[in-house]
Amino acid sequence: MAIITQSQSGGGDGPITGWSIKTPAPAGQHVAVCLAVKDTLGYECPTYDDPTITEIKDVTRFLFGLADGSMVQTYEMKISSNEKSKLFNTLTSWLGHPPVIGFDTESMVGMGATISIVGKVSRKGTEYSDVTSITPVMPQLASQVPNLANFTIPQDNNPPSAPAQPVAPVQPVQPMAPAQVATSMTVDQPQVVQPMQTVQPVQQVVQQPVQQAQPVQPIQQPAQGQQTLGGQFTPPPSESVPF
């Protein structure tokens, strides 16, 4: 969908980018319905005056369905709010008043229009139909607007994009485990209780009976006439040695 934004650039058309329509619509004036709006953003194309020079622009175009089942598309128009742009003038003619800033061209899908069609031949010799004017449907012809549901939108002329890669299934989020608080705690190892030593019974001091002192035996007096050792070794009487 094209959003009308403030712009200072002028109008102009580039190469055709739109839907692939094989059968041209009949020329003349027809009551039609807008089937689709196609935007091409950031499109690089050669300029009309000098094909050796390229320019980048955003363009849009409209697809219409006729009562006989045929379809026709407008020439591409630069997305611009400039009063001289082709898009601005086309919307002004179709709506009956100028589009406001911020107008969305996608809102035109399903809206009826009275269009004028002419037959043309491209540079390559291909016959096609072109829309030269778009005006509102007269109230008395509103019932002749074709039903949008009766048409199938054809493929566009843009190069096919690369096939979409399959999206990997999203793994369910695992519940977060509660945060573990690392608390350092020193636990004293239980000491092995040594078995209580059996108290040895107090040795009863046995007092030995005190030996009674032996009575002193009286010295035996030698018997009378019994000589003692001293008497037996009585030295001999000394002799007088004369000088």
Side-chain angles (χ1 to χ4, degrees):
M1 58 184 175
I3 303 297
I4 301 299
T5 58
Q6 190 69 36
S7 174
Q8 301 300 326
S9 61
D13 296 324
I16 295 176
T17 56
W19 297 271
S20 177
I21 300 177
K22 304 300 182 181
T23 304
Q29 192 174 58
H30 302 271
V31 176
V33 61
C34 181
L35 301 178
V37 179
K38 184 177 184 297
D39 298 334
T40 303
L41 307 179
Y43 182 69
E44 184 177 0
C45 57
T47 59
Y48 183 81
D49 296 331
D50 187 356
T52 63
I53 300 176
T54 60
E55 62 178 342
I56 297 177
K57 57 184 180 179
D58 300 335
V59 298
T60 189
R61 63 196 309 165
F62 300 92
L63 177 67
F64 290 95
L66 279 58
D68 63 355
S70 60
M71 289 178 284
V72 63
Q73 59 189 323
T74 64
Y75 201 75
E76 63 184 21
M77 295 171 278
K78 186 175 182 179
I79 300 174
S80 172
S81 63
N82 189 286
E83 294 180 358
K84 295 182 179 180
S85 69
K86 189 171 184 178
L87 176 61
F88 185 90
N89 289 322
T90 297
L91 291 174
T92 300
S93 174
W94 190 358
L95 295 170
H97 58 81
V100 297
I101 301 300
F103 179 81
D104 187 357
T105 57
E106 190 73 21
S107 63
M108 305 301 288
V109 175
M111 184 174 179
T114 300
I115 62 176
S116 295
I117 302 175
V118 296
K120 294 184 178 181
V121 179
S122 69
R123 295 178 182 178
K124 296 181 180 181
T126 304
E127 294 183 0
Y128 67 96
S129 299
D130 189 21
V131 178
T132 58
S133 67
I134 307 175
T135 57
V137 177
M138 297 178 64
Q140 60 269 29
L141 300 178
S143 61
Q144 298 182 20
V145 176
N147 189 347
L148 178 65
N150 296 335
F151 297 87
T152 301
I153 308 300
Q155 291 183 339
D156 55 47
N157 287 333
N158 286 348
S161 58
Q165 298 297 325
V167 179
V170 179
Q171 298 296 328
V173 178
Q174 298 295 328
M176 183 179 294
Q180 300 292 332
V181 179
T183 304
S184 178
M185 180 182 296
T186 304
V187 179
D188 294 334
Q189 296 295 327
Q191 300 295 326
V192 179
V193 179
Q194 298 295 331
M196 183 177 295
Q197 299 292 332
T198 305
V199 179
Q200 297 294 331
V202 179
Q203 298 291 332
Q204 185 175 2
V205 179
V206 179
Q207 295 187 359
Q208 297 294 331
V210 178
Q211 297 293 331
Q212 298 292 328
Q214 297 295 326
V216 179
Q217 296 296 328
I219 299 173
Q220 298 291 331
Q221 295 295 329
Q224 202 168 28
Q226 182 179 2
Q227 296 184 353
T228 63
L229 289 177
Q232 292 178 1
F233 291 96
T234 303
S238 60
E239 293 183 0
S240 300
V241 179
F243 291 101

